[in-house]
Amino acid sequence: MAAISFGSILLLLLSLSLAQLLRWNPMWFGRSAGELPSSSEFFVFHEHDTLDDALFQHVGQLGDEFDAYRNHCLRVLSFAVHHLGGLRNVTNRQVNLMALALAYHDIALWTDGKLDYLDPSAALLLRDLRKNDKSGSVQDLQDADFVTLREIVLQHHKLTTWTPPEGSQADELLVNAVRKGDWADATIGMIRFGLPAAYLEKAYTELPEGGFHRILARMGGRLSPDSITERLAVLNIFKL
Ligand SMILES: *[C@@H]1O[C@H](CO)[C@@H](O)[C@H](O)[C@H]1NC(C)=O
């Protein structure tokens, strides 16, 4: 079990309380959100086949929270593409890989009821891929893609840049783009790695928050109503 560091506790408290306080007003973070520059190429994904095919397999377990989670995934995908230089600077294959990993990145909260959800989420992704035997929308997955998919899920709460361990074939560009995108969305812009406030606002306007942060904040009480120590397992997901 990873050690719970003081830094990660602070970060969690900070992001949870600010996220709750400021969820109605993303513009309070940093620069004020004005008009989008007319030259802007920021693209908001309103749907994505790969993401949706994967998510629909678990629609029963996501229940009422399906839309809130899906919109979170779509916002993070939009931010990740922005961090890679925009739609014109990414391939379909890169977007597909990120979309597939995003469908699963938090999923074990619902499918396994686990607060320490990174490993079980990555495991479910790989299990579904084997089950579907490559019939999903990402064709011809290579060994390196499986490593990338797994690392996108496992590293998405890491605060600082992720560098692949010696010999890893994972695509660090994709891992870090999703990591930055998830921080921006999970903290509603408090930690957003240079993402312009207007982009954040546009994504939330087009893909409603739908109570996502309240759902996350209440997950501890929901999954471990009786045990504070079990609730603290959520801290294992944060890495500096
Ligand atoms: C475009 O993508 C390449 C890698 O695929 C990256 O090295 C480059 O920095 C990106 N450009 C921008 C403007 O982000």
Side-chain angles (χ1 to χ4, degrees):
M1 195 168 86
I4 297 172
S5 73
F6 181 64
S8 53
I9 295 177
L10 257 186
L11 262 175
L12 177 75
L13 293 181
L14 215 61
S15 39
L16 283 184
S17 50
L18 274 173
Q20 278 301 101
L21 262 177
L22 306 182
R23 53 192 281 260
W24 298 112
N25 198 343
M27 290 148 291
W28 288 7
F29 305 106
R31 288 163 282 170
S32 73
E35 298 258 308
L36 285 180
S38 54
S39 63
S40 160
E41 293 186 12
F42 181 58
F43 180 79
V44 177
F45 287 89
H46 287 225
E47 58 188 1
H48 192 284
D49 286 349
T50 305
L51 186 119
D52 287 336
D53 287 352
L55 273 188
F56 279 123
Q57 298 180 63
H58 302 286
V59 66
Q61 281 145 312
L62 285 156
D64 288 351
E65 289 161 1
F66 182 89
D67 286 335
Y69 179 56
R70 177 173 178 265
N71 281 359
H72 164 66
C73 296
L74 288 167
R75 287 191 304 266
V76 175
L77 182 63
S78 309
F79 300 153
V81 168
H82 162 76
H83 283 299
L84 290 169
L87 214 45
R88 281 209 286 188
N89 201 43
V90 289
T91 61
N92 276 338
R93 188 177 174 75
Q94 289 176 309
V95 178
N96 273 328
L97 283 175
M98 294 192 294
L100 182 57
L102 276 169
Y104 290 89
H105 75 298
D106 294 335
I107 205 159
L109 281 171
W110 291 274
T111 55
D112 297 52
K114 289 265 173 58
L115 288 174
D116 190 355
Y117 57 83
L118 298 179
D119 285 303
S121 295
L124 181 58
L125 162 56
L126 299 180
R127 206 153 66 230
D128 278 0
L129 280 179
R130 278 194 294 271
K131 189 178 76 190
N132 299 344
D133 197 23
K134 300 186 182 175
S135 60
S137 10
V138 186
Q139 304 294 316
D140 303 323
L141 286 175
Q142 313 290 315
D143 287 350
D145 298 327
F146 285 94
V147 185
T148 298
L149 289 166
R150 184 164 179 276
E151 294 292 4
I152 291 176
V153 175
L154 294 183
Q155 307 303 334
H156 82 267
H157 285 295
K158 191 172 185 306
L159 184 58
T160 56
T161 303
W162 180 74
T163 325
E166 188 79 21
S168 167
Q169 294 179 289
D171 184 336
E172 63 181 301
L173 275 183
L174 301 190
V175 174
N176 283 308
V178 172
R179 183 183 67 73
K180 291 181 196 169
D182 186 76
W183 272 104
D185 202 70
T187 64
I188 320 182
M190 192 178 73
I191 299 174
R192 63 170 185 260
F193 300 97
L195 179 77
Y199 292 3
L200 187 83
E201 191 186 4
K202 180 174 160 74
Y204 275 93
T205 306
E206 298 183 15
L207 297 164
E209 194 264 351
F212 180 71
H213 297 83
R214 197 183 55 236
I215 293 166
L216 284 191
R218 291 184 177 167
M219 211 41 110
R222 188 160 114 191
L223 297 181
S224 301
D226 304 322
S227 163
I228 293 290
T229 38
E230 278 173 33
R231 280 190 216 180
L232 288 176
V234 74
L235 296 174
N236 290 333
I237 65 178
F238 293 98
K239 299 171 198 165
L240 288 177

